[in-house]
Amino acid sequence: QVQLVESGGGLVQAGGSLRLSCAASRSILSFNNVGWYRQAPGKQRELVAVITSAGSTNYADSVKGRFTISRHVAVNTVNLQMNSLKPEDTAVYYCYAQLYGDDYWGQGTQVTVSS
């Protein structure tokens, strides 16, 4: 019923920037929440940023002031602008959406930050 496709990952030097994009198969306004999680090798998946259907946002403390989540309703996309990247940001980033109490996930995109 729901497909989420991420893009924009890659290799970047510490202090650099990347922009991730998530394309959804339906209007992002239909989701209770849409956002991004990340998971590093051997570590637990963690919330990075989320935006609600009302437009409010929440960020992990570790990324506040550096990352910005935004939505583009006309093209069913959610973006994550990542600035001042640090090596500890290295992880697979997953687009996430909640609909009718169910969770949906994208395939993931690798972000690697070198020191």
Side-chain angles (χ1 to χ4, degrees):
Q1 289 186 346
V2 176
Q3 291 183 335
L4 304 170
V5 181
E6 304 100 330
S7 62
L11 175 65
V12 65
Q13 188 176 357
S17 299
L18 283 174
R19 181 184 296 156
L20 305 183
S21 181
C22 174
S25 60
R26 61 185 293 161
S27 173
I28 59 173
L29 295 179
S30 67
F31 300 116
N32 300 97
N33 301 286
V34 185
W36 295 88
Y37 284 72
R38 66 186 182 187
Q39 186 169 25
K43 297 184 178 180
Q44 188 175 2
R45 185 173 57 189
E46 64 176 349
L47 175 69
V48 178
V50 65
I51 185 167
T52 72
S53 60
S56 62
T57 59
N58 290 287
Y59 297 91
D61 288 341
S62 60
V63 307
K64 287 182 179 178
R66 300 189 297 120
F67 291 10
T68 302
I69 188 169
S70 61
R71 63 186 182 186
H72 301 267
V73 176
V75 291
N76 291 357
T77 60
V78 176
N79 294 330
L80 184 69
Q81 178 66 46
M82 304 185 294
N83 298 326
S84 302
L85 284 163
K86 304 174 181 179
E88 53 262 42
D89 295 319
T90 296
V92 176
Y93 284 69
Y94 296 91
C95 185
Y96 160 83
Q98 183 186 53
L99 177 66
Y100 305 138
D102 296 322
D103 296 335
Y104 298 90
W105 300 92
Q107 82 285 356
T109 184
Q110 176 70 48
V111 172
T112 302
V113 184
S114 63
S115 60

